Amino acid sequence: VIRVYPDSFPQVSVMFQAQNEFGMPIWEMSNDELNVTENGLDCEIIRIRNISKERPVNIGLVLDASGSMAQVSEDELEELFGQAFRDSANYYWWSRGYDQKPWKDPLDHAKTGLKSFLTEETLGKDSLQLVVFSQQVLSTVSLTANAKSIIDVIDTVMPFTNTAFYDALIESMNMLPQGSSETVLVALTDGNDNQSVSNDQGVIKLANQRNVKIYIIGLGFVNAAPLELIAENTGGFFHYTDKPEQLTEIYRNIKKQIRSVYQVDYVTAHDDEDVTNMDIRFSFVNDTLRFLNNEIEYHLPAEAVEYI
């Protein structure tokens, strides 16, 4: 469950994301596949519709290019160069040309994953934006429908120094237009934020003000708690992996998740004028499906209380 809209009370609308236990999106749902209760009372479902499958989305891509994105395992270097040259291999290839190195580091895998996200499936009417960061924002591409312009910049990215992840999220949101289009950020980081002026709470506050969902990929030695908090409190999702080669598949899954957002409209069964706090519970009729968070509360706005 992402958000509740009680503004048209006694009709209530809820945005939710539908996916199976393997994280794959559910593309088609009908009224008879879902149960909704409010304070324990069954509610009449008016309609369910997929609001993201065909709807244009503004997608902000945030890429970590801090120095740790260049780190590869000692075993891999030793296999390529032998033990005697292992420790000097990184320095040698930096001086010779980082992009000419004979191995793939985490940044290379991230670039491959982003390109897959941009080119493997049609983006339709979606618009894209890019923010690359290390200790500060290094480069940006403003919102565009031209995926190639973003790929051209991705190809030039090289790893550099520290991590200002929160500042990069803020910068990306500030660059994105505020309007009727759905807006999401898809952000990758591989380390703890050690440079930002902003913090996780500032990111959450701005995202909720601007109705931005944030999907975060945590790679390797990240502090997962604040990243999960940001994703959970903005209606996004947190993915973790310690294997850079899995990034392409994660980017593909996020693209599918963005397209599996539904809206359900139902009529409240509420008839108690003294109760303005509502406990909604969702359940699938098919018991092989489940919600990650199937329970949510909302407080009735003043106009709804007056209506009651």
Side-chain angles (χ1 to χ4, degrees), residues 115-131:
K115 291 177 185 178
S116 174
F117 183 94
L118 292 166
T119 62
E120 195 159 274
E121 301 172 26
T122 177
L123 288 163
K125 299 178 181 179
D126 294 347
S127 296
L128 304 152
Q129 173 220 74
L130 177 68
V131 169

Side-chain angles (χ1 to χ4, degrees), residues 61-63 109-114 116-117 186-188 217 246-256:
L61 303 171
V62 180
L63 175 61
H109 288 289
K111 290 179 180 182
T112 300
L114 272 174
S116 174
F117 183 94
V186 181
L188 167 70
I217 305 171
Q246 292 181 349
L247 290 176
T248 294
E249 187 61 29
I250 290 174
Y251 273 112
R252 289 174 183 163
N253 286 339
I254 289 175
K255 191 166 188 178
K256 292 174 182 175

Side-chain angles (χ1 to χ4, degrees), residues 11-74:
Q11 179 176 312
V12 179
S13 298
V14 181
M15 283 177 59
F16 68 93
Q17 194 165 53
Q19 56 191 23
N20 64 23
E21 60 184 320
F22 304 108
M24 299 304 293
I26 300 168
W27 293 120
E28 303 296 337
M29 291 189 66
S30 60
N31 292 17
D32 57 1
E33 293 179 273
L34 193 67
N35 291 326
V36 179
T37 64
E38 208 177 66
N39 289 2
L41 300 174
D42 290 332
C43 298
E44 175 194 355
I45 296 176
I46 301 170
R47 71 184 68 85
I48 295 176
R49 60 193 178 98
N50 187 316
I51 61 174
S52 62
K53 192 173 182 181
E54 306 298 336
R55 183 181 178 186
V57 181
N58 292 332
I59 303 172
L61 303 171
V62 180
L63 175 61
D64 189 338
S66 58
S68 55
M69 289 291 286
Q71 292 178 356
V72 293
S73 70
E74 292 185 352

